[in-house]
Amino acid sequence: MHIKKVTLSLVATAVAAVFMGCQATAGKQANAAAPDKMPAAKMAMKSSAPPALAPLGKAPIPPDNKLTSAKVELGKLLFFDPRVGGDASTGCSTCHEPEQGWAWAEDFSRGYPGTVHWRNSQSIINSAYFPRQFWAGSASSNEKQAKSAAKGGVAGNGEDDIMEARLALIPEYRKRFKEVFGTEWPIIDDVWHAISAFERTMNTTGDYEVPLDKYLKGDKSALSEEQVRGMALFNGKAGCINCHNGELTTDSDFHNIGVPPNKRWEEDGLAQITFRFEQYAKGQTEEGYRTAKSDWGFYYRSKNKWDKGKFRTAPLRYIAYTAPYMHNGVFYTLEEVIDFYNRGGVDEEGRTTLFPETKTKLIKPLGLTDQEKEDLLAFLEAFSGPEIEMEKPEQPPYAPLFTLAELKAAQEAK
């Protein structure tokens, strides 16, 4: 069913406020005196040659969250358990489905019931390696990402005490939390630690190593001739290496590469409500709230004008399974992505970012031939190995309110 186009107006504002329980008002003009351009010192840092691609090493493990098999198993249960959320319907796996690249195969991710998310869901695969999580880098670890997602208004919408109370009513969880963390009852911060422990085992290493890493380690048969030609384009004419580099295949920095707005905001009323709510939630200025027509990206974090429309460089490993692409899911195939870059950050309709003043100069027409585009596509496929599959575990049940013996005794007493 098609949703009729609605106007982004004060009506949407009011609905968003009521629906999401948002009592906030738009923030005051932030950093009004901030310069319009990136500081020269930061621009100078960008002039050095990018790191070469490198094979993925071992995932870093934080000293305050050591991995144990019991903790990983507990985290696996919690990852798939929707009771870690607001109304026991939306858990981690709701937006990070194993069958969909451990992400969500639509432009916008799923949202809490009655909402829709406003950005594309990123895969949890290899997330242990990244110093910045989410498209705008708002979380610095898996633990903070899990907490933010489970409690976010358009994602999990969970409350700490409610989630803890639910888990405390489940004997299996009480047993496991005591074994792993030594507590009599599940503590919410330990929930994030357990989920993160599980996520840190979900990597493209070992049996899931990608062909590119095998090649970089010395197995020259791991790539085809076409892929080797594509790698030369990646490192040279196509310029992909400028941002997709090093071990992580990302510089973990933020760039405006010209991605146009998602048209869904023009025709999906629920998406519009979410969009306006997020403007409030992220401290948008009053003027920005009234006029925004696209995602302002890293600006919500920095409040610097030169960061409008910038997003964290997405990693490339496992991309064969994580379509659609970009922060708003506007491209559903890697062929579309290559064409977008080849045109210089412009889609097939001639659309580009609404913030041309911050668009990186790294993005420019490439002049790739059809054969070169095929070679580059073949190389991008080398960033993905076997699909990481997993059956969803059976969720432990709540404790019964009465045992059968207690029920029998009550009936006999009557």
Side-chain angles (χ1 to χ4, degrees), residues 50-66:
L53 291 171
L56 193 63
K58 291 183 178 181
I61 308 299
D64 63 343
N65 194 16
K66 300 290 187 180

Side-chain angles (χ1 to χ4, degrees), residues 23-57:
Q23 301 299 322
T25 56
K28 294 181 179 179
Q29 182 74 33
N31 288 1
D36 292 336
K37 298 181 179 180
M38 182 187 298
K42 187 172 183 179
M43 293 180 67
M45 293 173 60
K46 304 292 183 181
S47 62
S48 58
L53 291 171
L56 193 63

Side-chain angles (χ1 to χ4, degrees), residues 13-308:
T13 306
V15 174
V18 174
F19 184 78
M20 303 300 297
C22 176
Q23 301 299 322
T25 56
K28 294 181 179 179
Q29 182 74 33
N31 288 1
D36 292 336
K37 298 181 179 180
M38 182 187 298
K42 187 172 183 179
M43 293 180 67
M45 293 173 60
K46 304 292 183 181
S47 62
S48 58
L53 291 171
L56 193 63
K58 291 183 178 181
I61 308 299
D64 63 343
N65 194 16
K66 300 290 187 180
L67 296 191
T68 66
S69 58
K71 187 187 292 183
V72 170
E73 283 302 309
L74 173 58
K76 177 180 176 180
L77 282 175
L78 294 167
F79 180 90
F80 287 98
D81 198 329
R83 290 170 290 192
V84 182
D87 69 348
S89 70
T90 308
C92 301
S93 63
T94 303
C95 300
H96 300 281
E97 287 276 2
E99 301 87 353
Q100 301 187 41
W102 295 84
W104 183 243
E106 291 185 14
D107 49 2
F108 295 160
S109 182
R110 282 173 165 174
Y112 189 72
T115 73
V116 63
H117 209 283
W118 74 319
R119 285 177 179 161
N120 180 253
S121 177
Q122 293 185 293
S123 177
I124 68 160
I125 301 302
N126 295 330
S127 62
Y129 294 84
F130 302 120
R132 292 170 169 174
Q133 308 270 343
F134 293 122
W135 284 105
S138 57
S140 59
S141 67
N142 286 71
E143 288 80 5
K144 291 181 179 179
Q145 184 277 334
K147 176 181 179 180
S148 180
K151 292 166 65 69
V154 298
N157 204 28
E159 295 289 343
D160 291 352
D161 54 349
I162 298 298
M163 291 186 286
E164 284 183 347
R166 284 200 200 105
L167 299 179
L169 292 173
I170 303 171
E172 180 68 16
Y173 278 140
R174 292 204 303 270
K175 174 185 175 183
R176 287 177 179 261
F177 272 85
K178 186 172 184 178
E179 175 187 354
V180 174
F181 297 105
T183 58
E184 290 296 323
W185 307 99
I187 304 300
I188 197 64
D189 282 346
D190 291 336
V191 172
W192 317 136
H193 281 76
I195 291 174
S196 299
F198 166 68
E199 291 179 339
R200 289 194 174 94
T201 67
M202 304 299 294
N203 307 312
T204 55
T205 54
D207 293 339
Y208 301 102
E209 188 173 39
V210 306
L212 172 63
D213 285 0
K214 294 179 181 180
Y215 181 89
L216 294 174
K217 289 180 179 179
D219 181 4
K220 300 308 176 184
S221 66
L223 298 186
S224 66
E225 292 183 4
E226 186 180 28
Q227 289 173 322
V228 172
R229 294 196 303 268
M231 182 166 60
L233 290 165
F234 185 97
N235 292 323
K237 182 177 179 179
C240 312
I241 192 69
N242 288 316
C243 299
H244 297 282
N245 51 52
E247 176 188 17
L248 304 185
T249 64
T250 170
D251 59 5
S252 292
D253 206 348
F254 303 90
H255 305 277
N256 177 355
I257 60 174
V259 178
N262 192 314
K263 290 184 177 180
R264 185 169 172 182
W265 280 329
E266 300 175 5
E267 56 194 29
D268 185 336
L270 196 56
Q272 291 184 29
I273 290 172
T274 298
F275 177 66
R276 291 300 166 192
F277 165 75
E278 286 292 341
Q279 301 301 317
Y280 270 115
K282 290 177 167 45
Q284 177 62 285
T285 65
E286 182 70 23
E287 179 184 1
Y289 171 83
R290 300 290 180 184
T291 61
K293 301 296 183 183
S294 69
D295 192 336
W296 288 30
F298 190 52
Y299 168 85
Y300 298 124
R301 300 285 299 162
S302 73
K303 299 301 187 294
N304 292 319
K305 294 180 180 180
W306 59 77
D307 287 325
K308 291 180 181 180

